[in-house]
Structure formats: C-alpha cells, structure tokens
Amino acid sequence: MLRSAHLFFYLADEEGNALSLSGDVLDIRENSLMAYGSRMDVRGWQLHLESVDDLEVHYSGFKTPHIHNLSDLVQESLGDQVRKFGRLQRPDASDNSPNILVFQGTSLTRELIEKQKEFDNKFEICFNLTSKVDSESLVVGKAALGNMLGGIGYFYGQ
C-alpha cells in the first residue's frame, strides 16, 4: 500500500485581524510571498516560503473567534473535501477577511521517509540500543523522544 504524508501549517491572529493571501493560486516557484497582514504590535508583516523542489501548496482561510479549535476546524473541512472529491487536500478557498490561514504542502512522502531514516540512524548512534532491547521498546523510545522534541515550542498569547 502506498503511504503518503501531508504537512499542514497554521497562521492565526488571536485578535481577529484579517490575514491576506498573496493570490488565489500559490505558486512558490514564481513568488515566495504566501501571506501578509498588519498588527498594532509588529505593524506590517509578510510570510515567505521558498522551495527548490516541486512543492505543491494548497490553502484554506477561516474567520472564527475560536482559535482554540483549529485542529477540529481543519479536520472537519478536510472531511468535507474527502466526502465531496475523494482527496485529502485543502480547497484553495477562503472566507472573507480570514484570521486563520491553513497551508498544506503535498508530495512530501520522499522527504519524510528520508528524515525518518536520518532520525533512526541518529537514534542508534546516540543510544546504541538495537542489541540491548527488543524492537517494540525501540519503537516506544523513538516515539517518546520524537513527541518530546516535537512538543517543544514557543507560544505567545493567552
């Protein structure tokens, strides 16, 4: 069975300020500007993404005061896309004056598999556990370390 992976990243303004897209179609090979906006504390800002690979980017924009439900909002809209079109893809559409933008990078399967191999190799080099514990324990150890590292973040707001 062919497995694929999808990367989603969120851009949200907790105060409800409108976020703007660079255009209806995001082509990061031609223009790296994806989104822009303005806030009182930082004034004007821009988000750029550049890729040397053939990275396809899709988006959705939402207007909602409920920032804490981002994952539910994205999952619900993805479910609608799957039911309507049979594919797991952002619809490249936006509400008027959205305060949340969700971007999806597809075709990342090869890169993610390579990064997984790099992680496995570095885990073995650092901990040298392959001959000391069973494979299930290795899986649990890698998951614990990955979750711990993935949980490190910086959050601003309330």
Side-chain angles (χ1 to χ4, degrees):
M1 180 173 125
L2 179 62
R3 294 175 56 189
S4 65
H6 298 270
L7 173 68
F8 296 93
F9 59 98
Y10 302 70
L11 182 61
D13 188 296
E14 292 178 333
E15 295 177 0
N17 296 315
L19 306 174
S20 300
L21 289 161
S22 65
D24 292 335
V25 176
L26 298 178
D27 186 354
I28 61 174
R29 291 174 300 262
E30 297 294 322
N31 179 9
S32 68
L33 178 63
M34 293 185 69
Y36 59 94
S38 181
R39 291 180 47 95
M40 293 295 288
D41 53 349
V42 296
R43 300 196 178 133
W45 59 266
Q46 295 180 342
L47 172 68
H48 292 262
L49 177 67
E50 293 183 15
S51 175
V52 294
D53 295 327
D54 188 19
L55 181 63
E56 185 178 340
V57 177
H58 297 281
Y59 69 90
S60 289
F62 303 99
K63 176 92 175 144
T64 180
H66 306 293
I67 300 283
H68 61 279
N69 291 348
L70 282 178
S71 294
D72 293 340
L73 185 64
V74 171
Q75 288 176 1
E76 182 179 307
S77 66
L78 278 173
D80 291 343
Q81 285 295 105
V82 170
R83 284 188 290 279
K84 288 179 186 174
F85 305 109
R87 64 179 185 259
L88 187 67
Q89 179 178 307
R90 305 295 335 137
D92 293 335
S94 178
D95 295 344
N96 288 330
S97 302
N99 63 322
I100 297 171
L101 295 175
V102 181
F103 297 97
Q104 174 188 16
T106 59
S107 305
L108 295 173
T109 303
R110 182 179 66 251
E111 289 86 355
L112 289 173
I113 289 171
E114 184 62 34
K115 291 299 179 186
Q116 182 179 6
K117 287 178 184 175
E118 288 176 22
F119 176 80
D120 290 343
N121 290 338
K122 190 162 187 175
F123 189 89
E124 176 57 29
I125 290 168
C126 290
F127 300 109
N128 194 23
L129 296 174
T130 303
S131 61
K132 298 175 186 171
V133 298
D134 61 273
S135 64
E136 288 182 8
S137 296
L138 280 175
V139 170
V140 170
K142 289 176 186 178
L145 180 62
N147 286 337
M148 181 185 70
L149 293 174
I152 296 172
Y154 173 77
F155 299 94
Y156 172 82
Q158 307 181 8

